[in-house]
Structure formats: C-alpha cells, structure tokens
Amino acid sequence: MEATVTTGSEEKVWGGGNEPLSASYGKMMMWFFIVSDALTFSGFLAAYGFSRYKFIETWPIADEVFTHFPFLHGVDAPMYYVALMTFILIFSSVTMVLAVDAGHQLKKTRVVWYMFFTIIGGIIFVGSQAWEWKNFIKGEFGAVELKSGRILQFLDASTGERVALADFAKPLHGERVTQESNQGIWFMSETTLPSFSVEEVKAGFEANHNIVARTEMSDETGKKVVLTREQTAERLAQAAMVVEGANLVHNEYGNRLFADFFFFITGFHGFHVLSGVVINIIIFINVILGTYERRNNYEMVEKVGLYWHFVDLVWVFVFTFFYLV
C-alpha cells in the first residue's frame, strides 16, 4: 500500500512552485556557488591564521612589506596603495548596486553606464594587484638567508633604517656569471643569479662599520631583533645565499609561509575578480545589444551583481587578515 503526502493541492507533491523563497533557479544556483566558495576562502584564511599564530615571532610586518606607491619611488607609504585598491573595489560594488537598481527600473542607459564604471574599477583593481605582485616578487632591499633558513636584513646603525644590499655590498672580481644558451654545445638552463654574492655582502659589511643586521625574529614589543656588529659577523659566517624579493621557496621579508599564503590567497581572489570582470563585460555587451530589454527584465545583471558583491566582501576579509592584523 502506497501513501502520498500532498501540501497545498492534490495535483502537486509540493505546492511551492519552482521559485523557493521567491528566487529564480538562476539566483538559487548563484547563492549555492557563493556559499560553497565562501567555505573555500574560509578554509584558506583559517589556515593562514593558524600558520601565523604558530610562527608569529618570525612573521613579516605588513607595514614594512607593502610600502610602495606608483610614481613615488623611495617614498615610504605603508599600506596606502592597498587601501586605495580596496576603496576602488568597494566603489565598484556601489556602482554595481546602482546598475541592478537601474535594471529593476528598466533604464537601459543607466545600466550601461553603471556597469561600465564597475568594469573599469575591476580592471584597475586587477592591474593594481599585478603591480603589487611585481614589487613583492622583485623586492626592494634584499637579504641574506642562513644555512638554517633564517633571514638577515640590514640596517644603518646610526638611523635604524633599512639598507639595501646595493647600498653597501662591495663588488668583487671573478664572480661566476649566469651562463647563456649560446655559450656551450650542451646547455642546461639555470636560474638568474642575485645581484650580489654572499662574499660581496660580507666584504661590504666589513668595509662599512655602520651596517648591522636584524633577524626575522620579533621581541616582546613586536619589533625585529637588531644584532650588534659582532653578532652580525657571526651570523654572516653561516650565510648560504642572497635573497632578493620573494617566491614560493625563498622570502627576503621573513617566514617563507607568508609569501606562499600571499601568492595563493591573493592570487585566488585575483582570479575571481578577473573572472568577474570577464562576466561583467559579457553582460555589459548584452545590455548594449538590448537583450535584457527585450526580455523585459535584467535578472542577469542582478545575478552577476551577487557574484561581484561576494568578491568584494571576500577582499575585505583578505585585506583585514593579510594587511591590517
């Protein structure tokens, strides 16, 4: 004997129609994607938080890492450009809200303009993030990595300011150079050599008596531990290589996990922003062609707007975790 449970009517098992919570199928699927993606980002940020807590004494100080600003070379501007990037992305979220509202009112021209401003904001943000990556990878001061994997950064003892390797390293003759493919019959490629060798850094240290090093370790006040001249000489005796900038293996700023998480999390978010820009361009073209005007609704603009707001919200958390805390 079979039993059938019905609600609302005898004709339908469920009388709620095909739009639960008054949301269309497309909106529901977008919300499902956003929730699943939010869980992914949450896992990444949780892993970052645990790793930072475990290695807090060697974690780089963000105000000393992200100090660049376009066209202001040599000017110390900690976090200024990152703050500007964040403002641009949040402003693009505002223009997306206005585009969705204009779509509800079936005002095509306003939708076109607001989506145009949203796309421009997204492009500026992605370009700014690429510029930030370039500076992070290239580095500014350089450091020495010890055999233990620890990092030594250099200071002017009289001012306490960071000193670049180029400011005191002493060039030596007879150093090995990177080989080119036209310099042998059988050639295997090799990585680009740093600007200075360990011996050149040691020679420059000995010739400049106002140069001292600091470790990647932080003291009770959160400042990096500064060594004396004697302690610096002892540590330099254990130097393994010169490090300039950061990659997935070496990091002049401190703990290499910082660079790994930076590339992975900001890169993953940047991919989302780039994807959002591409989708917005497609929807933007359809708006210009009058596709949604003929349908008499701009729901596609609203759905891509949900994704764009999610991307903006995720950046607020990334910005807080990576740059502010």
Side-chain angles (χ1 to χ4, degrees):
M1 180 176 180
E2 297 183 357
T4 302
V5 179
T6 62
T7 58
S9 69
E10 294 298 323
E11 291 79 16
K12 296 181 179 180
V13 175
W14 174 56
N18 64 350
E19 293 190 359
L21 303 178
S22 299
S24 67
Y25 176 82
K27 285 185 186 178
M28 289 296 293
M29 293 303 103
M30 178 58 74
W31 276 113
F32 286 151
F33 168 76
I34 288 173
V35 170
S36 63
D37 215 23
L39 294 174
T40 303
F41 274 105
S42 298
F44 293 158
L45 293 176
Y48 171 84
F50 282 121
S51 298
R52 176 171 178 167
Y53 179 77
K54 180 176 178 60
F55 301 104
I56 188 64
E57 69 280 354
T58 62
W59 213 252
I61 300 172
D63 283 348
E64 297 181 354
V65 177
F66 306 104
T67 60
H68 305 89
F69 202 96
F71 312 112
L72 296 178
H73 181 70
V75 177
D76 189 31
M79 312 297 291
Y80 289 4
Y81 194 60
V82 180
L84 178 60
M85 290 166 51
T86 303
F87 172 79
I88 291 172
L89 193 62
I90 292 176
F91 185 77
S92 73
S93 193
V94 173
T95 56
M96 177 56 79
V97 169
L98 296 174
V100 172
D101 181 66
H104 288 160
Q105 301 176 44
L106 302 178
K107 296 181 178 179
K108 173 184 173 182
T109 303
R110 289 176 58 184
V111 174
V112 169
W113 278 109
Y114 287 134
M115 287 207 68
F116 173 77
F117 292 136
T118 301
I119 291 169
I120 294 300
I123 292 174
I124 293 175
F125 180 85
V126 172
S128 298
Q129 202 166 47
W131 183 83
E132 193 75 37
W133 269 45
K134 177 187 74 69
N135 288 293
F136 187 79
I137 294 172
K138 180 181 178 182
E140 183 177 2
F141 296 101
V144 168
E145 183 176 311
L146 307 181
K147 295 177 182 178
S148 62
R150 299 294 188 182
I151 292 294
L152 285 184
Q153 301 168 341
F154 296 91
L155 309 173
D156 186 326
S158 59
T159 63
E161 299 292 331
R162 287 283 304 276
V163 177
L165 298 181
D167 294 335
F168 72 92
K170 186 176 181 180
L172 300 176
H173 299 290
E175 289 295 322
R176 187 175 72 88
V177 298
T178 303
Q179 300 300 311
E180 303 293 338
S181 57
N182 60 355
Q183 295 176 323
I185 298 176
W186 185 269
F187 175 76
M188 295 182 65
S189 62
E190 61 179 342
T191 58
T192 304
L193 294 175
S195 302
F196 305 97
S197 67
V198 172
E199 295 304 320
E200 289 175 329
V201 172
K202 289 180 179 179
F205 168 74
E206 294 173 358
N208 294 272
H209 299 286
N210 62 328
I211 298 296
V212 294
R214 74 175 188 181
T215 69
E216 62 185 56
M217 302 290 293
S218 300
D219 57 20
E220 296 79 8
T221 64
K223 296 182 178 179
K224 299 299 181 181
V225 176
V226 179
L227 305 177
T228 64
R229 285 280 299 180
E230 294 73 16
Q231 292 172 327
T232 302
E234 292 177 4
R235 297 291 182 90
L236 277 177
Q238 307 169 24
M241 63 183 299
V242 171
V243 179
E244 293 175 311
N247 52 48
L248 295 176
V249 181
H250 306 287
N251 180 11
E252 78 162 50
Y253 310 104
N255 194 300
R256 65 187 65 177
L257 275 177
F258 177 83
D260 296 343
F261 277 113
F262 176 81
F263 288 127
F264 192 75
I265 294 179
T266 62
F268 193 58
H269 177 266
F271 174 76
H272 278 70
V273 177
L274 180 61
S275 301
V277 169
V278 173
I279 297 172
N280 273 329
I281 290 175
I282 295 173
I283 302 302
F284 175 71
I285 293 173
N286 284 336
V287 172
I288 293 176
L289 295 177
T291 302
Y292 309 123
E293 189 175 33
R294 289 190 294 272
R295 293 180 185 176
N296 201 35
N297 77 78
Y298 284 79
E299 185 178 304
M300 285 300 297
V301 176
E302 187 173 356
K303 285 187 284 190
V304 76
L306 289 174
Y307 176 78
W308 194 254
H309 298 323
F310 166 72
V311 168
D312 289 4
L313 181 61
V314 167
W315 177 252
V316 171
F317 284 96
V318 173
F319 176 71
T320 302
F321 272 67
F322 246 107
Y323 300 95
L324 296 184
V325 177

